[in-house]
Amino acid sequence: MRIGFIGLGGMGKGMAGNLIKAGHEVLVWNRSQEPVQELVGQGAKAASEPADAFDAEVVVSMLADDASTRAVILESGALDNARAGVIHLSMATLSVAFVSELIEHHAKVGVEYISAPVFGRTDVAVAGNLNIVVAGPQAAVSKVQPLLDVMGQTTWPLGEDPLRANIVKIAGNFMLASAIETMGEASALTKSYGVEPADLLNILTNTLFAAPAYKNYGAMIAEQRFEPAAFKLTLGLKDVGLALSAGQAKNVPLPFGSVLRDNLLEAVAQGEGHLDWSALGGRALKRSGQA
Amino acid sequence: MRIGFIGLGGMGKGMAGNLIKAGHEVLVWNRSQEPVQELVGQGAKAASEPADAFDAEVVVSMLADDASTRAVILESGALDNARAGVIHLSMATLSVAFVSELIEHHAKVGVEYISAPVFGRTDVAVAGNLNIVVAGPQAAVSKVQPLLDVMGQTTWPLGEDPLRANIVKIAGNFMLASAIETMGEASALTKSYGVEPADLLNILTNTLFAAPAYKNYGAMIAEQRFEPAAFKLTLGLKDVGLALSAGQAKNVPLPFGSVLRDNLLEAVAQGEGHLDWSALGGRALKRSGQA
Amino acid sequence: MRIGFIGLGGMGKGMAGNLIKAGHEVLVWNRSQEPVQELVGQGAKAASEPADAFDAEVVVSMLADDASTRAVILESGALDNARAGVIHLSMATLSVAFVSELIEHHAKVGVEYISAPVFGRTDVAVAGNLNIVVAGPQAAVSKVQPLLDVMGQTTWPLGEDPLRANIVKIAGNFMLASAIETMGEASALTKSYGVEPADLLNILTNTLFAAPAYKNYGAMIAEQRFEPAAFKLTLGLKDVGLALSAGQAKNVPLPFGSVLRDNLLEAVAQGEGHLDWSALGGRALKRSGQA
Amino acid sequence: MRIGFIGLGGMGKGMAGNLIKAGHEVLVWNRSQEPVQELVGQGAKAASEPADAFDAEVVVSMLADDASTRAVILESGALDNARAGVIHLSMATLSVAFVSELIEHHAKVGVEYISAPVFGRTDVAVAGNLNIVVAGPQAAVSKVQPLLDVMGQTTWPLGEDPLRANIVKIAGNFMLASAIETMGEASALTKSYGVEPADLLNILTNTLFAAPAYKNYGAMIAEQRFEPAAFKLTLGLKDVGLALSAGQAKNVPLPFGSVLRDNLLEAVAQGEGHLDWSALGGRALKRSGQA
């Protein structure tokens, strides 16, 4: 299939690479040129403008946030100049307000819009083992399914309204942040009685909480090792903000979300914005004077 | 081994039963007589007073809380009249303040004190598959190890200070409460966008959160089915209180713990104290007017 | 002085009326025509477009929020067509992000921008007794001072950067919301011991808390009388949101602000958005099952 | 009247001094002897045991907390040996749980129990200008009214159940703590936009919040001057704890109370327990990296 791919950060580069390996013709665009060249080396073609990447059956976008997606997809005119019938497979984590706007805009220009955000970090993307939640028009989803199969280990279909996949991704990230904060508070509590975080988390993440999220972040909290950042704390703050604003739009209070936002803001104010967001799990130790 | 066993609630009855099956001589005591008779039928001997159960090498206690432990072990005079050299294997979830008091009292009368609280509900206790965290004097722990092996699938040793096992148990229950609240908030958020809790939790508890705690409570939250209570919400409130008071004693703020306490109190005020504590995971739906 | 006045809600109508009474020539504009006719009856002239109201030495705007100010001042082209040298006296409660944008836009077209938000409800505005916080270029502020003296009992100067007045207004409203929540929680606490909110608040608002904010809202909470709304709860939610977003932009966590937002959202979800925002002070009674 | 007075801290010494000046015969007892000697110099008689101070028509107690009241009034045997008909005027800030216990104990020995906690710091006590909330048996309250008139500027009667005065005092202190936190957060917010706390608080405490509580603590927060401590932060933590535990007993969640507790604990963990409790109002500046 002829595929446009826009956004070659750590995640996008891995995902696009897998599409190339699977034999697809991939037109790549990225603001900076390094990853473009890297993928050209793997067989991609370079698109000189975002609009050029829309000269394809399916365009995948994997940009950092609302603002960059707005700039590259909308303000560049790429979408407005797209052929009717193209499918836009939007895989980034975006706000529900912005996705609503995107849905409307795509309808106007006759481009199909699918939300398909992913769970998994860079290494998982490279391995093609992402978990993908997808929602959009049935026929369009069926058409891109082979691409999702290449990029992910499992696709979780959520119906026709793209916002549904969008909100599940936001809820999932909120749950991760909660797990991190929970481990941080529990660690501060037991440490004050002489039990090291590593000892606590070794027990819990091998029993009741023997899940990837807890094992992964638990190891970082146990060692209080928050660099290098696989996912920056400032991005975590942004994602918790997505949950809070999505909730606000529907009058859903999220008291844990509010605590998370406050603690993440505090972390940024204390100079920890560049650390991995698991550093949220170190705040409780600091706050209680134990680190 | 000759073992006294005090406290035959759902958990204790299962644990004592396993000790009997393993061939030990077990003297049981309980306030109400029904479970005593049941265990006598399995081969136990009935102790008429708590003090009688101390006529053993090891006494296991599995009472509901601080108050009942105080009444049965201390105020009854059972401990004061115990032979020096007896080992008291205390397996209930108790406050750190009360365990500190117990440690001191045991030292005075020459009885060894071991904290060995457990993770797992009634069915896990009956199956002998508990996870047991244990801390106490090395020699004493070695001596009771065969008993722990009978009652649990894994023993997690935490050193010589009994408070260490105690605080890990308290931290673990705090983490469970956090997981319940987190799933409740996430469910309320996605439901407001048309995604049912069951659909959200099916995805997350099979991927990032594929752990017993999430699967177990996630199923109850997905169905909003909080009866019958395997662990009453009022007990959950008590346990979150144990975390908060343990934190307060060491100046460790637990902001998630505070939210949990407030939400559990609200649930009790709204008449939900008798439900399973997973009903905490239904508050966010109610608060947002969705249930 | 020739004055344009844009925005004739309850507050604006009273303020403009006082300027007319003081002998100024006032050109009024409002989306709906009723208040325009009312003021014309008092001696105002009707402007048919927002741009017409800018044909003046000073233009006062008192619109409901960011969105209406954006529509009427920016998107209508009114500001872009204004004469250089006009002073825009912006008296509404706006977000810091939007005020920053306004400052930039005004600088481009050569119109002076002053922030002068007010404390006081409709009756205070009618009586000309508002407390006005003002910040903007010194010379421009001096020029509008006679107008501020007509509309308010006291002007509190805060320097040259308009954001400074803006943020003080936002902080003041946050403090009001906090006072309401505080009285609500205290009332729920004492009522559970048989002391009516009226009895508690009578004591406290005549002693330690003998201040207008507490007396005013305390009376409404004491009677649990939240209609008619002098200031709607949904507007209170908006204002607490202004504090939270202003804080977020500077990495300032506001834990009380987060609780306020959650409780206001809950109130809206429970159908109380149309009530006076003092209804926030009734939530604690409801949450604890006492109302 | 012959009056026993137990507890001569800063508050008690001032109150007892006023009773002496008013011509009463005052028997004083205190653990340390300095204030006893000081009051003897003013005309008091020294009681050598707490029980001796009960040889009076009315015994006033003004001890630091539950623990010291328990030790001095109950465990010393003073109450048990009191003559039936004596009135105990308990003016300290105590927990509702302990006051319930005291009420029961007094009933057994035939001593009348009145709760009459006070609002005001040491200087107010010395000036005889306290605000006193009082509840207890009607006839007994009437009898001690002349004493309350000497110690306070106003007495606020709350009926016959002593817990009613007790809970109002606890609620009042909670409201003070809330006011301090609110000013702290508001100050951190405006400071991040260049407005000094002193400028913000000058405006607000002279307008909407022109009340003693805000003026008094606002001045300390404006200057971030938290020493010397008129009321130690650790005592503030204790008092917020009294509100939370009173609420817990009746299933009343206090979300602001929970935030206050967490922030006060953090302050203690950061070494600020010895400061005036208005230091709570400095946490937001520190948390946001501005102090």
Side-chain angles (χ1 to χ4, degrees):
Chain A
M1 206 182 291
R2 185 171 164 89
I3 302 166
F5 202 109
I6 294 176
L8 303 172
M11 296 293 293
K13 204 170 60 177
M15 292 154 73
N18 285 327
L19 292 173
I20 296 168
K21 267 186 237 159
H24 295 286
E25 182 185 352
V26 184
L27 277 163
V28 297
W29 184 89
N30 195 60
R31 194 179 302 268
S32 68
Q33 287 306 302
E34 258 181 80
V36 172
Q37 292 317 316
E38 195 176 327
L39 284 171
V40 166
Q42 293 170 32
K45 292 190 186 157
S48 55
E49 297 295 331
D52 297 342
F54 270 78
D55 181 17
E57 289 171 83
V58 175
V59 182
V60 181
S61 65
M62 191 63 188
L63 294 152
D65 53 19
D66 284 9
S68 55
T69 305
R70 179 184 295 284
V72 173
I73 304 296
L74 298 185
E75 295 175 351
S76 73
L79 179 62
D80 288 332
N81 294 311
R83 272 200 324 273
V86 171
I87 296 171
H88 179 189
L89 182 62
S90 174
M91 301 187 76
T93 301
L94 303 173
S95 75
V96 292
F98 183 55
V99 170
S100 299
E101 191 184 332
L102 283 175
I103 292 170
E104 211 175 313
H105 205 126
H106 281 72
K108 270 191 212 148
V109 297
V111 172
E112 303 260 29
Y113 183 84
I114 297 172
S115 270
V118 305
F119 290 106
R121 292 183 170 203
T122 306
D123 54 333
V124 183
V126 169
N129 283 335
L130 295 166
N131 275 285
I132 305 175
V133 284
V134 65
Q138 179 78 53
V141 170
S142 297
K143 188 156 174 204
V144 303
Q145 188 64 54
L147 310 186
L148 300 176
D149 292 343
V150 166
M151 293 184 280
Q153 63 166 297
T154 312
T155 302
W156 303 87
L158 278 156
E160 300 237 331
D161 176 2
L163 281 180
R164 290 167 55 93
N166 185 224
I167 195 68
V168 166
K169 168 62 181 169
I170 288 172
N173 277 18
F174 158 74
M175 286 174 65
L176 287 173
S178 268
I180 293 170
E181 172 70 20
T182 297
M183 285 189 279
E185 294 190 16
S187 295
L189 177 61
T190 59
K191 189 175 169 70
S192 71
Y193 287 87
V195 178
E196 286 302 313
D199 292 328
L200 169 74
L201 294 172
N202 176 47
I203 298 173
L204 272 308
T205 66
N206 282 298
T207 53
L208 292 168
F209 296 92
Y214 279 81
K215 283 181 178 288
N216 176 15
Y217 292 113
M220 299 169 83
I221 293 168
E223 302 178 22
Q224 297 280 303
R225 164 185 48 82
F226 306 126
E227 291 181 282
F231 184 70
K232 276 173 50 172
L233 191 138
T234 46
L235 293 175
L237 175 57
K238 186 205 69 168
D239 279 4
V240 167
L242 295 183
L244 288 170
S245 58
Q248 173 138 359
K250 301 285 189 182
N251 301 321
V252 180
L254 302 171
F256 266 21
S258 293
V259 170
L260 291 171
R261 179 183 172 282
D262 286 335
N263 288 356
L264 287 162
L265 274 179
E266 180 182 325
V268 176
Q270 303 289 332
E272 299 182 350
H274 65 290
L275 298 179
D276 190 83
W277 76 325
S278 54
L280 171 64
R283 296 307 308 161
L285 276 177
K286 292 203 168 118
R287 205 176 295 126
S288 57
Q290 298 184 91
Chain B
M1 204 182 292
R2 183 171 165 89
I3 302 165
F5 202 109
I6 293 176
L8 302 173
M11 296 294 294
K13 203 169 61 176
M15 292 154 73
N18 285 326
L19 291 173
I20 296 167
K21 267 186 238 161
H24 295 287
E25 182 186 352
V26 183
L27 277 164
V28 298
W29 183 90
N30 194 59
R31 193 178 303 267
S32 67
Q33 287 306 303
E34 260 180 77
V36 172
Q37 292 316 317
E38 195 176 326
L39 285 170
V40 166
Q42 293 170 30
K45 293 192 186 154
S48 54
E49 298 295 331
D52 296 341
F54 270 78
D55 180 17
E57 287 171 85
V58 174
V59 181
V60 181
S61 66
M62 191 63 188
L63 293 151
D65 53 17
D66 285 10
S68 55
T69 305
R70 179 184 297 283
V72 174
I73 304 296
L74 299 186
E75 295 175 351
S76 73
L79 179 63
D80 287 333
N81 293 312
R83 274 200 321 273
V86 170
I87 297 172
H88 178 189
L89 181 62
S90 173
M91 302 188 75
T93 301
L94 304 173
S95 75
V96 293
F98 182 55
V99 170
S100 298
E101 190 185 332
L102 284 174
I103 293 171
E104 211 175 314
H105 205 126
H106 282 72
K108 270 191 212 148
V109 296
V111 173
E112 303 260 29
Y113 184 84
I114 297 173
S115 270
V118 304
F119 290 107
R121 292 183 170 204
T122 306
D123 54 334
V124 184
V126 169
N129 282 335
L130 296 166
N131 275 285
I132 304 174
V133 284
V134 66
Q138 181 77 54
V141 170
S142 298
K143 188 156 173 204
V144 302
Q145 188 64 53
L147 309 186
L148 300 176
D149 292 343
V150 165
M151 294 184 279
Q153 64 167 295
T154 312
T155 301
W156 302 88
L158 279 156
E160 301 237 330
D161 176 2
L163 281 181
R164 291 167 56 93
N166 184 225
I167 195 69
V168 166
K169 167 62 182 169
I170 287 172
N173 277 18
F174 158 73
M175 286 174 65
L176 287 174
S178 267
I180 293 170
E181 171 71 21
T182 297
M183 286 188 278
E185 294 190 16
S187 295
L189 177 61
T190 61
K191 188 175 170 70
S192 71
Y193 287 87
V195 178
E196 287 302 315
D199 293 329
L200 169 75
L201 295 171
N202 177 47
I203 298 173
L204 272 307
T205 65
N206 281 298
T207 54
L208 292 167
F209 295 92
Y214 279 82
K215 284 180 178 287
N216 176 15
Y217 293 113
M220 299 168 84
I221 293 169
E223 304 178 22
Q224 297 280 302
R225 165 184 49 82
F226 306 126
E227 292 181 281
F231 185 71
K232 274 174 50 173
L233 192 138
T234 46
L235 292 176
L237 175 57
K238 186 206 70 169
D239 278 5
V240 167
L242 295 183
L244 289 170
S245 59
Q248 174 138 357
K250 300 286 190 181
N251 301 321
V252 180
L254 301 173
F256 266 20
S258 292
V259 170
L260 292 170
R261 179 183 172 282
D262 286 336
N263 288 356
L264 286 163
L265 275 178
E266 180 183 325
V268 176
Q270 302 289 331
E272 300 183 349
H274 64 291
L275 300 179
D276 191 83
W277 76 323
S278 53
L280 171 65
R283 296 307 308 162
L285 277 177
K286 292 202 167 122
R287 206 176 293 127
S288 57
Q290 299 183 90
Chain C
M1 205 184 288
R2 187 172 163 91
I3 301 165
F5 202 109
I6 292 175
L8 302 172
M11 296 294 293
K13 203 170 63 176
M15 293 154 72
N18 285 326
L19 292 173
I20 296 168
K21 267 186 235 158
H24 294 288
E25 184 184 350
V26 183
L27 276 165
V28 297
W29 183 89
N30 195 60
R31 193 177 303 264
S32 67
Q33 287 306 301
E34 258 181 80
V36 171
Q37 292 318 315
E38 195 177 327
L39 284 171
V40 166
Q42 292 171 31
K45 291 188 187 157
S48 54
E49 298 294 333
D52 297 341
F54 270 78
D55 180 17
E57 288 171 83
V58 174
V59 181
V60 182
S61 66
M62 190 65 189
L63 293 152
D65 54 17
D66 284 11
S68 56
T69 304
R70 179 184 297 282
V72 174
I73 304 294
L74 299 184
E75 295 175 352
S76 72
L79 179 63
D80 287 333
N81 293 311
R83 276 200 321 273
V86 170
I87 296 171
H88 179 190
L89 183 61
S90 174
M91 301 187 75
T93 301
L94 304 172
S95 75
V96 294
F98 183 55
V99 170
S100 299
E101 190 184 333
L102 283 176
I103 292 170
E104 212 175 311
H105 205 125
H106 282 71
K108 270 190 212 149
V109 296
V111 172
E112 303 261 29
Y113 184 84
I114 298 173
S115 271
V118 305
F119 290 107
R121 292 182 169 203
T122 306
D123 54 334
V124 183
V126 170
N129 283 333
L130 296 165
N131 275 284
I132 305 174
V133 285
V134 66
Q138 179 79 52
V141 171
S142 297
K143 190 157 170 203
V144 303
Q145 189 63 53
L147 309 185
L148 300 176
D149 292 342
V150 164
M151 294 184 280
Q153 62 167 299
T154 312
T155 302
W156 302 87
L158 279 157
E160 300 237 330
D161 176 2
L163 281 180
R164 291 167 55 93
N166 186 223
I167 195 68
V168 166
K169 168 63 182 168
I170 288 170
N173 277 20
F174 158 73
M175 286 173 66
L176 286 173
S178 268
I180 293 170
E181 172 71 20
T182 297
M183 286 188 279
E185 295 189 17
S187 295
L189 177 61
T190 60
K191 189 176 169 70
S192 72
Y193 287 88
V195 178
E196 287 301 314
D199 292 329
L200 169 74
L201 294 172
N202 176 47
I203 298 174
L204 271 308
T205 65
N206 281 297
T207 54
L208 290 168
F209 295 93
Y214 280 81
K215 284 178 176 288
N216 177 16
Y217 293 113
M220 299 168 83
I221 293 168
E223 304 177 21
Q224 297 279 305
R225 165 185 47 83
F226 305 127
E227 291 181 284
F231 185 71
K232 276 175 51 175
L233 192 138
T234 47
L235 292 176
L237 175 57
K238 187 206 68 171
D239 278 5
V240 167
L242 295 183
L244 289 170
S245 60
Q248 174 139 358
K250 301 285 189 180
N251 301 322
V252 179
L254 301 172
F256 266 20
S258 293
V259 171
L260 292 171
R261 179 183 172 282
D262 287 335
N263 288 357
L264 286 163
L265 275 178
E266 179 183 326
V268 176
Q270 302 289 331
E272 301 183 348
H274 65 290
L275 299 179
D276 191 82
W277 77 323
S278 53
L280 170 64
R283 296 308 306 163
L285 276 177
K286 292 201 169 121
R287 206 175 294 127
S288 57
Q290 299 184 90
Chain D
M1 206 184 288
R2 185 171 164 91
I3 301 166
F5 203 110
I6 292 175
L8 302 173
M11 296 295 292
K13 203 170 62 177
M15 293 154 73
N18 285 325
L19 293 173
I20 297 168
K21 267 187 234 157
H24 294 287
E25 184 184 349
V26 184
L27 277 164
V28 297
W29 183 89
N30 195 61
R31 192 178 304 267
S32 68
Q33 286 306 303
E34 258 180 79
V36 172
Q37 291 318 315
E38 195 177 326
L39 284 171
V40 166
Q42 292 171 32
K45 292 188 186 157
S48 53
E49 297 295 332
D52 297 340
F54 270 77
D55 180 17
E57 288 171 83
V58 175
V59 181
V60 182
S61 65
M62 190 64 190
L63 293 151
D65 54 18
D66 284 11
S68 56
T69 304
R70 180 183 297 282
V72 173
I73 304 294
L74 299 185
E75 295 175 351
S76 72
L79 179 63
D80 288 333
N81 293 311
R83 274 201 320 273
V86 169
I87 297 171
H88 179 190
L89 183 62
S90 173
M91 301 187 76
T93 301
L94 303 173
S95 75
V96 293
F98 182 55
V99 170
S100 299
E101 189 184 334
L102 283 176
I103 292 170
E104 212 175 313
H105 205 125
H106 282 70
K108 270 190 213 149
V109 295
V111 173
E112 304 261 30
Y113 183 83
I114 298 173
S115 270
V118 305
F119 291 107
R121 292 183 170 203
T122 306
D123 54 334
V124 182
V126 169
N129 284 334
L130 295 166
N131 274 284
I132 305 175
V133 284
V134 66
Q138 180 78 53
V141 170
S142 296
K143 188 156 172 203
V144 302
Q145 188 62 53
L147 310 186
L148 300 176
D149 293 342
V150 164
M151 294 185 280
Q153 61 167 297
T154 312
T155 301
W156 303 87
L158 279 157
E160 301 236 331
D161 176 2
L163 281 180
R164 290 167 55 92
N166 185 224
I167 195 67
V168 166
K169 167 62 182 169
I170 288 171
N173 277 19
F174 159 72
M175 286 174 66
L176 287 173
S178 268
I180 292 170
E181 172 70 20
T182 296
M183 287 189 278
E185 294 189 19
S187 295
L189 177 61
T190 61
K191 189 176 170 69
S192 71
Y193 287 88
V195 178
E196 286 301 315
D199 292 329
L200 169 74
L201 294 172
N202 177 46
I203 297 173
L204 272 308
T205 64
N206 281 296
T207 54
L208 291 167
F209 295 92
Y214 279 81
K215 284 179 177 287
N216 177 16
Y217 292 113
M220 300 168 82
I221 293 169
E223 303 177 22
Q224 297 278 304
R225 164 185 48 82
F226 305 126
E227 293 182 281
F231 185 71
K232 276 175 51 174
L233 193 139
T234 45
L235 292 176
L237 174 57
K238 186 206 69 172
D239 278 5
V240 167
L242 295 183
L244 289 169
S245 59
Q248 173 138 358
K250 301 285 189 179
N251 301 321
V252 180
L254 301 172
F256 266 20
S258 292
V259 171
L260 291 171
R261 179 182 171 282
D262 287 336
N263 288 357
L264 286 162
L265 275 178
E266 179 183 325
V268 176
Q270 302 289 331
E272 300 183 350
H274 65 291
L275 298 180
D276 191 83
W277 77 324
S278 53
L280 170 65
R283 296 308 308 162
L285 278 177
K286 292 201 169 121
R287 206 176 292 126
S288 58
Q290 300 184 89

